[in-house]
Amino acid sequence: MISILEYTPIAQFALGPDHRITHWNRACELLTGAAARDVVGTDRQWTPFYTSRRPVLADLVLENDFATFFEIYRGQEAGPSNVIPEAWKATGYFDDLGGKSRHVFFLAAPVFDSRGRRVGAVETLQDITERVLAEKRLRASEERYRFLTENAADGIVVIQDERLVFANGAAADLFDSPASEDLLDHPLLNLVAAAERGAVKEMLRDLEGRKNAERSVQFRCITMEGQEFWIEAHNRTVDWQGRPAVIASLRDATESRRREEEILDEAETLRRENVRLRSSIHERYRLGGLVGKSAPMQEVYELILKAASSGANVLLNGESGSGKELAARAIH
């Protein structure tokens, strides 16, 4: 066991039944700054970590004193190991351990003799400073991002596997959801009008298959109350927790769509009015291939113009040679 402890790159030390250090490997020297020659054979395993005498994790495991362990390490991610039977784990922060500020993960396991009696303990120490700092940076970044998204006027959602995995407050308001959390893990297509689902599904699949792809679309959605409304979505592919996703900024486009439809209706109304005005002009002498200025011909011209302004199908009846083909061409 001693040979293995010496050459492992992980900091480890061992205690005997009298709580004296029996081994302090090279990695432990480098991590703690304490030389093996100064601590082996002593019960001063606490000195690299604390300013006054107190039991370290290996001491408590050796005594099987879980109550004291939990009291001392409360709030330090303390608890039984999920991997090693009868081992306990905890974390700690030290301003100056081995000449550096460090976050350390501790894991201690008992050593048993052939009769099952605890005759020692081995403690492993792992420097997790970089991991802790990275997690803090990530949390800070997430907090900044959440602050920006929660205060954005537009709805912002992240879609992964056709489900909402992130939504801000503005997105919740768009869909009449009590809170953004109520939208999470919600199938996106359930919030899209039935007629639009196929196109939206195709768009998402196309976007998630490409990197840094962007697309802006408008489609009809459904609120949590079942009301339809138009939405304008600016979509971009991103990586979300290591997997492809689409981030979309959403804006209610119902009013702009209504104005567009009003403009189109107004243009059609003006077109038809123009045709009607033209059809009201009397004394027309020619229309298309038709020539004539008599009252009956004026009536024919007016009927042709009215038929041309309509979207209905037109049926022309008359004897052969009466000019049906000329009238059809004029309508066309």
PDB file of all heavy atoms in Angstrom, residues 235-249:
ATOM      1  N   ASN A 235     -34.004  33.715 -35.229  1.00  0.00           N
ATOM      2  CA  ASN A 235     -33.430  32.475 -34.719  1.00  0.00           C
ATOM      3  C   ASN A 235     -31.948  32.369 -35.060  1.00  0.00           C
ATOM      4  O   ASN A 235     -31.520  32.756 -36.153  1.00  0.00           O
ATOM      5  CB  ASN A 235     -34.158  31.263 -35.313  1.00  0.00           C
ATOM      6  CG  ASN A 235     -35.656  31.356 -35.138  1.00  0.00           C
ATOM      7  OD1 ASN A 235     -36.179  31.093 -34.071  1.00  0.00           O
ATOM      8  ND2 ASN A 235     -36.359  31.746 -36.199  1.00  0.00           N
ATOM      9  N   ARG A 236     -31.191  31.785 -34.120  1.00  0.00           N
ATOM     10  CA  ARG A 236     -29.763  31.557 -34.336  1.00  0.00           C
ATOM     11  C   ARG A 236     -29.360  30.275 -33.618  1.00  0.00           C
ATOM     12  O   ARG A 236     -29.808  30.015 -32.496  1.00  0.00           O
ATOM     13  CB  ARG A 236     -28.942  32.732 -33.809  1.00  0.00           C
ATOM     14  CG  ARG A 236     -27.427  32.574 -34.011  1.00  0.00           C
ATOM     15  CD  ARG A 236     -26.685  33.759 -33.432  1.00  0.00           C
ATOM     16  NE  ARG A 236     -25.244  33.583 -33.537  1.00  0.00           N
ATOM     17  CZ  ARG A 236     -24.520  33.899 -34.600  1.00  0.00           C
ATOM     18  NH1 ARG A 236     -25.126  34.428 -35.656  1.00  0.00           N
ATOM     19  NH2 ARG A 236     -23.216  33.709 -34.620  1.00  0.00           N
ATOM     20  N   THR A 237     -28.515  29.486 -34.263  1.00  0.00           N
ATOM     21  CA  THR A 237     -28.060  28.239 -33.642  1.00  0.00           C
ATOM     22  C   THR A 237     -26.953  28.529 -32.628  1.00  0.00           C
ATOM     23  O   THR A 237     -26.100  29.392 -32.840  1.00  0.00           O
ATOM     24  CB  THR A 237     -27.537  27.254 -34.699  1.00  0.00           C
ATOM     25  OG1 THR A 237     -26.508  27.884 -35.466  1.00  0.00           O
ATOM     26  CG2 THR A 237     -28.658  26.815 -35.624  1.00  0.00           C
ATOM     27  N   VAL A 238     -26.991  27.799 -31.508  1.00  0.00           N
ATOM     28  CA  VAL A 238     -25.996  27.924 -30.443  1.00  0.00           C
ATOM     29  C   VAL A 238     -25.723  26.538 -29.872  1.00  0.00           C
ATOM     30  O   VAL A 238     -26.421  25.570 -30.192  1.00  0.00           O
ATOM     31  CB  VAL A 238     -26.491  28.852 -29.306  1.00  0.00           C
ATOM     32  CG1 VAL A 238     -26.662  30.268 -29.805  1.00  0.00           C
ATOM     33  CG2 VAL A 238     -27.797  28.322 -28.693  1.00  0.00           C
ATOM     34  N   ASP A 239     -24.704  26.454 -29.031  1.00  0.00           N
ATOM     35  CA  ASP A 239     -24.477  25.247 -28.224  1.00  0.00           C
ATOM     36  C   ASP A 239     -25.061  25.501 -26.844  1.00  0.00           C
ATOM     37  O   ASP A 239     -24.755  26.520 -26.213  1.00  0.00           O
ATOM     38  CB  ASP A 239     -22.978  24.943 -28.100  1.00  0.00           C
ATOM     39  CG  ASP A 239     -22.432  24.293 -29.359  1.00  0.00           C
ATOM     40  OD1 ASP A 239     -23.226  23.665 -30.086  1.00  0.00           O
ATOM     41  OD2 ASP A 239     -21.224  24.424 -29.622  1.00  0.00           O
ATOM     42  N   TRP A 240     -25.906  24.605 -26.391  1.00  0.00           N
ATOM     43  CA  TRP A 240     -26.521  24.729 -25.075  1.00  0.00           C
ATOM     44  C   TRP A 240     -26.204  23.455 -24.309  1.00  0.00           C
ATOM     45  O   TRP A 240     -26.650  22.377 -24.664  1.00  0.00           O
ATOM     46  CB  TRP A 240     -28.031  24.924 -25.210  1.00  0.00           C
ATOM     47  CG  TRP A 240     -28.752  25.141 -23.914  1.00  0.00           C
ATOM     48  CD1 TRP A 240     -29.350  24.190 -23.133  1.00  0.00           C
ATOM     49  CD2 TRP A 240     -28.975  26.392 -23.248  1.00  0.00           C
ATOM     50  NE1 TRP A 240     -29.915  24.754 -22.040  1.00  0.00           N
ATOM     51  CE2 TRP A 240     -29.714  26.112 -22.068  1.00  0.00           C
ATOM     52  CE3 TRP A 240     -28.616  27.708 -23.517  1.00  0.00           C
ATOM     53  CZ2 TRP A 240     -30.094  27.110 -21.187  1.00  0.00           C
ATOM     54  CZ3 TRP A 240     -29.009  28.690 -22.632  1.00  0.00           C
ATOM     55  CH2 TRP A 240     -29.735  28.393 -21.487  1.00  0.00           C
ATOM     56  N   GLN A 241     -25.366  23.594 -23.275  1.00  0.00           N
ATOM     57  CA  GLN A 241     -24.925  22.458 -22.471  1.00  0.00           C
ATOM     58  C   GLN A 241     -24.314  21.371 -23.348  1.00  0.00           C
ATOM     59  O   GLN A 241     -24.580  20.182 -23.182  1.00  0.00           O
ATOM     60  CB  GLN A 241     -26.087  21.914 -21.631  1.00  0.00           C
ATOM     61  CG  GLN A 241     -26.593  22.929 -20.618  1.00  0.00           C
ATOM     62  CD  GLN A 241     -27.720  22.403 -19.751  1.00  0.00           C
ATOM     63  OE1 GLN A 241     -28.323  21.370 -20.055  1.00  0.00           O
ATOM     64  NE2 GLN A 241     -27.993  23.100 -18.673  1.00  0.00           N
ATOM     65  N   GLY A 242     -23.490  21.827 -24.313  1.00  0.00           N
ATOM     66  CA  GLY A 242     -22.734  20.901 -25.144  1.00  0.00           C
ATOM     67  C   GLY A 242     -23.493  20.287 -26.293  1.00  0.00           C
ATOM     68  O   GLY A 242     -22.946  19.427 -27.003  1.00  0.00           O
ATOM     69  N   ARG A 243     -24.733  20.729 -26.537  1.00  0.00           N
ATOM     70  CA  ARG A 243     -25.531  20.154 -27.622  1.00  0.00           C
ATOM     71  C   ARG A 243     -26.148  21.272 -28.456  1.00  0.00           C
ATOM     72  O   ARG A 243     -26.392  22.373 -27.953  1.00  0.00           O
ATOM     73  CB  ARG A 243     -26.616  19.234 -27.056  1.00  0.00           C
ATOM     74  CG  ARG A 243     -26.036  18.029 -26.317  1.00  0.00           C
ATOM     75  CD  ARG A 243     -27.126  17.183 -25.681  1.00  0.00           C
ATOM     76  NE  ARG A 243     -28.131  16.826 -26.641  1.00  0.00           N
ATOM     77  CZ  ARG A 243     -29.437  17.048 -26.476  1.00  0.00           C
ATOM     78  NH1 ARG A 243     -29.886  17.635 -25.391  1.00  0.00           N
ATOM     79  NH2 ARG A 243     -30.297  16.690 -27.398  1.00  0.00           N
ATOM     80  N   PRO A 244     -26.458  20.991 -29.751  1.00  0.00           N
ATOM     81  CA  PRO A 244     -27.018  22.031 -30.617  1.00  0.00           C
ATOM     82  C   PRO A 244     -28.392  22.485 -30.106  1.00  0.00           C
ATOM     83  O   PRO A 244     -29.185  21.691 -29.602  1.00  0.00           O
ATOM     84  CB  PRO A 244     -27.150  21.337 -31.981  1.00  0.00           C
ATOM     85  CG  PRO A 244     -26.278  20.134 -31.906  1.00  0.00           C
ATOM     86  CD  PRO A 244     -26.238  19.727 -30.471  1.00  0.00           C
ATOM     87  N   ALA A 245     -28.633  23.779 -30.251  1.00  0.00           N
ATOM     88  CA  ALA A 245     -29.920  24.358 -29.855  1.00  0.00           C
ATOM     89  C   ALA A 245     -30.154  25.609 -30.697  1.00  0.00           C
ATOM     90  O   ALA A 245     -29.289  26.032 -31.466  1.00  0.00           O
ATOM     91  CB  ALA A 245     -29.933  24.691 -28.359  1.00  0.00           C
ATOM     92  N   VAL A 246     -31.341  26.172 -30.565  1.00  0.00           N
ATOM     93  CA  VAL A 246     -31.692  27.403 -31.271  1.00  0.00           C
ATOM     94  C   VAL A 246     -32.132  28.433 -30.237  1.00  0.00           C
ATOM     95  O   VAL A 246     -32.997  28.153 -29.400  1.00  0.00           O
ATOM     96  CB  VAL A 246     -32.837  27.165 -32.284  1.00  0.00           C
ATOM     97  CG1 VAL A 246     -33.301  28.491 -32.891  1.00  0.00           C
ATOM     98  CG2 VAL A 246     -32.384  26.210 -33.381  1.00  0.00           C
ATOM     99  N   ILE A 247     -31.499  29.606 -30.276  1.00  0.00           N
ATOM    100  CA  ILE A 247     -31.939  30.716 -29.429  1.00  0.00           C
ATOM    101  C   ILE A 247     -32.745  31.656 -30.297  1.00  0.00           C
ATOM    102  O   ILE A 247     -32.347  31.970 -31.424  1.00  0.00           O
ATOM    103  CB  ILE A 247     -30.749  31.427 -28.756  1.00  0.00           C
ATOM    104  CG1 ILE A 247     -31.259  32.494 -27.784  1.00  0.00           C
ATOM    105  CG2 ILE A 247     -29.794  32.020 -29.772  1.00  0.00           C
ATOM    106  CD1 ILE A 247     -30.186  33.090 -26.896  1.00  0.00           C
ATOM    107  N   ALA A 248     -33.897  32.066 -29.810  1.00  0.00           N
ATOM    108  CA  ALA A 248     -34.804  32.894 -30.600  1.00  0.00           C
ATOM    109  C   ALA A 248     -35.262  34.099 -29.794  1.00  0.00           C
ATOM    110  O   ALA A 248     -35.604  33.974 -28.616  1.00  0.00           O
ATOM    111  CB  ALA A 248     -36.016  32.078 -31.053  1.00  0.00           C
ATOM    112  N   SER A 249     -35.229  35.258 -30.433  1.00  0.00           N
ATOM    113  CA  SER A 249     -35.850  36.451 -29.846  1.00  0.00           C
ATOM    114  C   SER A 249     -37.221  36.605 -30.498  1.00  0.00           C
ATOM    115  O   SER A 249     -37.348  36.523 -31.724  1.00  0.00           O
ATOM    116  CB  SER A 249     -34.984  37.688 -30.072  1.00  0.00           C
ATOM    117  OG  SER A 249     -34.850  37.957 -31.454  1.00  0.00           O
TER     118      SER A 249
END
